[in-house]
Amino acid sequence: MTATSLDHAATSLDDLERRVRAGEFGPDPGGLRVSTAFTTGQAVRHSGRNGGYRNEVLSLRVGAAVGSCAVEPGALSGDVTAACAGSPVAELLEHPLAPVRTAALDAYLMHVLPHTPANGARPWSLPAGDSLRKSRARARAVIGLLGAVPGQRVLVVGVVNSLLEALRDRGLAYDACDLKGGTTEWGEEIHTDAVSRLDRCDALLVSGMTLGNGTFEPLRAHAERHGKELVAFAQTGSAVLPRLLGAGVSAVCAEPYPFFWLDGGRGVVHRYVHRYGGTP
C-alpha cells in the first residue's frame, strides 16, 4: 500500500517500525536493497573552544537516499558495515545491532519520504564558513524551534556546546545530559541519566542519537504524557523523527548526510513543525 500525506504520522517508534515493515509507508522493504554502506569518522576541536570530541556515523544508501545513525567510535567493525551492502532493507530492519536497524529505517523513510515541502519540510540555509560558524548557524536553526521562554528549563539530551550557547543567549536554563558524562564548555556537570531529570524540565531538546542507543522512547512518551514540547535535532534518523510529529515530538531540525561538519560550503537543514511557540 502507498501512504498518502495523511498517513505519515506514527504514534510511537514501535508503531513506526511496524508500519514500515508492513509496507504501509510505500514499497515493501523486502524489495529494496542497500547499495552502499559506509562509516564517516570525525574528530573536532573548534578554534576558541576548550574541548573536543569524536563522532562516527554509519550510513546506508537506498536508491538516491542515505540514512544514518551515529555510533560510538570503533563500535562497529568493518565486517558489519560490509555485510550491510547488498542486503534487503527488511533484513536490516531486523538486524541485532540497533544502529544498523536505525540507519536502515532512516534510509527507507528518506527513500519514500524525502525532505521536501510536500512531505512537511521547510529548508533552512546554513552559511559557508569555518566549523564553529556552521555549528552556531545550525544551533540557531534548532533553537529557533523551541517555544520555551526565559526562566524555563530545557532538558538537553546529547550535548552540543553550540546548542547550549544558543540556549544561554535566549536566557534559558538547561540540564545537560549525555551518556558520555563529563562537563560542558562552561564547567557544568553533564548528567548520564536523562530520565531521572525529566520532571525538572519544562521542555526537551533531544538528539537523534537517542534512536540508535535505545533512549528515545521514554523521552517521547514523557513529552506526550505531560504536554511538554520536544524538539529533536537529527543527523541520526533525520527522516525518522518527522514521522513522530504530534506523538510527543513538536518539531524536528533534520540534517541528512552530508552533515554540516564535512565541508565549509553552504548547506541546508530541514525544519518540521507540529506545534510550538518559536519562529519558523
Side-chain angles (χ1 to χ4, degrees):
M1 128 179 216
T2 300
T4 70
S5 61
L6 299 178
D7 296 326
H8 292 166
T11 59
S12 68
L13 184 57
D14 285 346
D15 177 57
L16 179 60
E17 292 170 342
R18 176 191 61 77
R19 291 177 61 190
V20 166
R21 288 193 296 268
E24 293 183 17
F25 279 78
D28 178 358
L32 297 173
R33 291 181 178 270
V34 169
S35 62
T36 308
F38 59 98
T39 57
T40 307
Q42 174 204 29
V44 182
R45 187 176 289 272
H46 295 304
S47 178
R49 286 274 171 83
N50 293 324
Y53 57 90
R54 292 175 60 202
N55 286 331
E56 188 171 316
V57 181
L58 169 68
S59 297
L60 305 177
R61 183 165 181 167
V62 175
V66 176
S68 298
C69 181
V71 298
E72 288 300 314
L76 286 183
S77 71
D79 289 343
V80 170
T81 303
C84 291
S87 295
V89 172
E91 180 179 304
L92 297 182
L93 291 172
E94 305 289 350
H95 197 278
L97 297 179
V100 175
R101 297 195 303 271
T102 300
L105 180 64
D106 193 35
Y108 176 87
L109 288 169
M110 189 81 71
H111 177 67
V112 299
L113 292 169
H115 295 305
T116 63
N119 292 326
R122 302 178 185 181
W124 178 281
S125 296
L126 299 180
D130 63 24
S131 61
L132 184 55
R133 184 185 186 207
K134 294 192 74 174
S135 178
R136 284 171 165 162
R138 197 276 298 258
R140 289 192 294 272
V142 174
I143 300 304
L145 293 168
L146 267 173
V149 298
Q152 290 189 308
R153 181 171 294 273
V154 179
L155 182 71
V156 181
V157 185
V159 171
V160 178
N161 282 314
S162 291
L163 292 177
L164 301 184
E165 180 182 54
L167 290 172
R168 294 165 71 94
D169 289 344
R170 282 265 300 266
L172 293 166
Y174 55 79
D175 280 10
C177 299
D178 197 295
L179 292 177
K180 295 178 182 177
T183 58
T184 71
E185 181 76 10
W186 300 273
E188 302 147 330
E189 180 183 0
I190 297 175
H191 307 280
T192 57
D193 184 359
V195 171
S196 70
R197 309 191 76 78
L198 281 167
D199 291 336
R200 290 170 42 88
C201 297
D202 304 293
L204 290 75
L205 184 62
V206 177
S207 168
M209 290 179 66
T210 57
L211 294 170
N213 63 28
T215 61
F216 172 75
E217 190 60 17
L219 305 173
R220 182 206 64 79
H222 175 89
E224 183 176 41
R225 185 165 59 250
H226 295 279
K228 296 180 181 180
E229 65 172 343
L230 187 160
V231 172
F233 55 102
Q235 295 177 343
T236 292
S238 78
V240 175
L241 286 163
R243 301 309 132 209
L244 295 168
L245 286 169
V249 177
S250 54
V252 179
C253 184
E255 186 182 357
Y257 196 93
F259 310 126
F260 79 86
W261 37 264
L262 282 166
D263 68 60
R266 293 179 61 84
V268 64
V269 294
H270 307 274
R271 306 205 309 174
Y272 293 78
V273 176
H274 177 68
R275 56 179 182 274
Y276 71 110
T279 302

